[in-house]
Amino acid sequence: MTAFSINGRAVQVAAEPDTPLLWVIRDELKLTGTKYGCGIALCGACTVHIDGEPMRACQTPLDMVAGRQVTTIEGLSADSSHPLQKAWIAEQVPQCGYCQSGQIMQAAGLLASNPRPSREEIVAHMDGNLCRCGTYDRIIRAVERAAQES
């Protein structure tokens, strides 16, 4: 059994220690907001926070989160009131929406460590989170808006 906290709730999971955290989150814990994208940590669709730091869940083995705090998109805010979630709606960021939970979690990591990032800092931090629909300009505007409104 591996014990950790997810979205503020203590859990114990009976899975192999090398099982990717993504599959534990989706299949065992039934939190499906975190998406499978590439499976090799290159696209960012599976981004979650581990002890407050954005990490790719597809390449994070379960044993790495033992005793740690994991936050998924479902745990960012209980009522979608996080400034990024509001900004995502205001800027009409999603097109297909598949990558958006990973995009938001990556951006939340930036704003937690740098509440007033420059446009260049936003672009650099979000580099590596891919959006097949190409909504990058809207993503940047949403992060800028969230930084101004929080």
Side-chain angles (χ1 to χ4, degrees):
M1 295 292 274
T2 302
F4 62 99
S5 172
I6 189 156
N7 300 333
R9 180 176 60 103
V11 296
Q12 289 190 359
V13 177
E16 293 298 319
D18 62 346
T19 302
L21 178 61
L22 174 63
W23 302 122
V24 171
I25 290 170
R26 291 184 58 81
D27 296 344
E28 301 294 325
L29 301 175
K30 306 300 184 200
L31 297 169
T32 57
T34 304
K35 304 299 184 198
Y36 173 81
C38 66
I40 55 175
L42 294 177
C43 74
C46 66
T47 302
V48 298
H49 291 182
I50 300 173
D51 293 337
E53 294 296 319
M55 302 280 287
R56 304 297 203 250
C58 72
Q59 289 293 301
T60 302
L62 178 60
D63 64 351
M64 185 179 157
V65 301
R68 299 176 79 181
Q69 304 286 326
V70 176
T71 305
T72 68
I73 189 71
E74 292 93 344
L76 195 59
S77 77
D79 59 0
S80 299
S81 64
H82 190 280
L84 280 166
Q85 292 168 314
K86 290 180 180 179
W88 241 248
I89 294 167
E91 294 295 334
Q92 299 179 12
V93 175
Q95 196 162 319
C96 84
Y98 195 82
C99 71
Q100 298 307 306
S101 61
Q103 298 279 359
I104 290 171
M105 294 305 288
Q106 185 73 15
L110 171 63
L111 295 182
S113 65
N114 181 359
R116 300 284 184 257
S118 68
R119 182 177 182 84
E120 292 77 25
E121 290 169 324
I122 294 168
V123 170
H125 185 82
M126 298 302 292
D127 186 37
N129 277 69
L130 304 179
C131 174
R132 287 179 170 244
C133 299
T135 65
Y136 298 112
D137 287 335
R138 288 185 267 175
I139 290 167
I140 293 165
R141 283 196 312 266
V143 176
E144 289 172 329
R145 178 187 284 251
Q148 290 170 354
E149 294 179 0
S150 55

